[in-house]
Amino acid sequence: MAIYHCSTKTVNRSSGRSSVAAAAYRAGDEIKDQRTGLNHDFTRKEVVAYSEIISNLDIEIDRGELWNLAEKTENRKDARTAREWVIALPDELNPDQRKDLAKDFARSFVDRYGVIADIAIHEPSKGGSDKNHHVHIMLTTRKAEL
């Protein structure tokens, strides 16, 4: 039987976090933070099964550009630059069903609030539970506009 887990948190500068670093880690990507000059390289992360950016803008969005713009848009030193949801995905579903479920959940945020969602589905780690499929959904804090 599937076990439900859902948590949400914010990415705040006041706690020393960066949405650029968080997005790179979640997606197993390499992104340079234009605000700090740091290069965040998590390309060796093996548990990322799928990642995608979902929006209503009908354009292709680069992950690095998106999160660097989110950081640049906020001026305060204690700004909130992203919101993150972590949701358990049922082990009983196959990979395509888990992907569809994650995308549907993210799409509901995009449609309701007009934000951009960056999803990353993580498979269970080699040393952990073999049923810990989950998705990280990072959301912009502002409405997306061209």
Side-chain angles (χ1 to χ4, degrees):
M1 175 179 7
I3 297 177
Y4 176 77
H5 170 80
C6 178
S7 64
T8 183
K9 52 189 159 191
T10 58
V11 178
N12 297 321
R13 283 190 194 143
S14 61
S15 61
R17 297 184 68 204
S18 157
S19 57
V20 173
Y25 180 79
R26 303 307 182 262
D29 210 348
E30 180 177 6
I31 305 174
K32 179 166 181 148
D33 191 328
Q34 295 170 354
R35 187 176 63 86
T36 64
L38 295 173
N39 191 47
H40 303 283
D41 183 0
F42 296 98
T43 54
R44 297 174 99 187
K45 189 173 177 74
E46 296 179 2
V47 297
V48 180
Y50 179 79
S51 65
E52 180 181 352
I53 295 178
I54 299 172
S55 78
N56 285 335
L57 299 179
D58 295 327
I59 62 168
E60 189 171 322
I61 299 172
D62 177 80
R63 180 171 282 111
E65 290 178 18
L66 170 66
W67 295 112
N68 272 299
L69 183 59
E71 286 285 341
K72 182 180 177 184
T73 303
E74 302 298 338
N75 298 320
R76 295 174 51 117
K77 66 180 181 179
D78 63 347
R80 177 180 301 138
T81 58
R83 287 179 176 29
E84 179 187 22
W85 290 77
V86 181
I87 305 164
L89 298 173
D91 180 61
E92 294 82 5
L93 301 179
N94 68 42
D96 287 335
Q97 291 171 321
R98 285 192 288 269
K99 181 169 73 170
D100 291 343
L101 181 62
K103 288 172 69 170
D104 288 347
F105 197 83
R107 171 66 58 196
S108 69
F109 284 118
V110 170
D111 291 343
R112 185 172 186 173
Y113 299 110
V115 296
I116 298 175
D118 186 353
I119 67 170
I121 298 175
H122 289 188
E123 295 291 323
S125 60
K126 292 177 184 169
S129 167
D130 63 347
K131 297 182 184 227
N132 186 20
H133 300 274
H134 59 279
V135 63
H136 294 264
I137 302 174
M138 286 183 57
L139 303 171
T140 57
T141 57
R142 296 178 183 261
K143 282 189 172 186
E145 299 176 336
L146 294 175

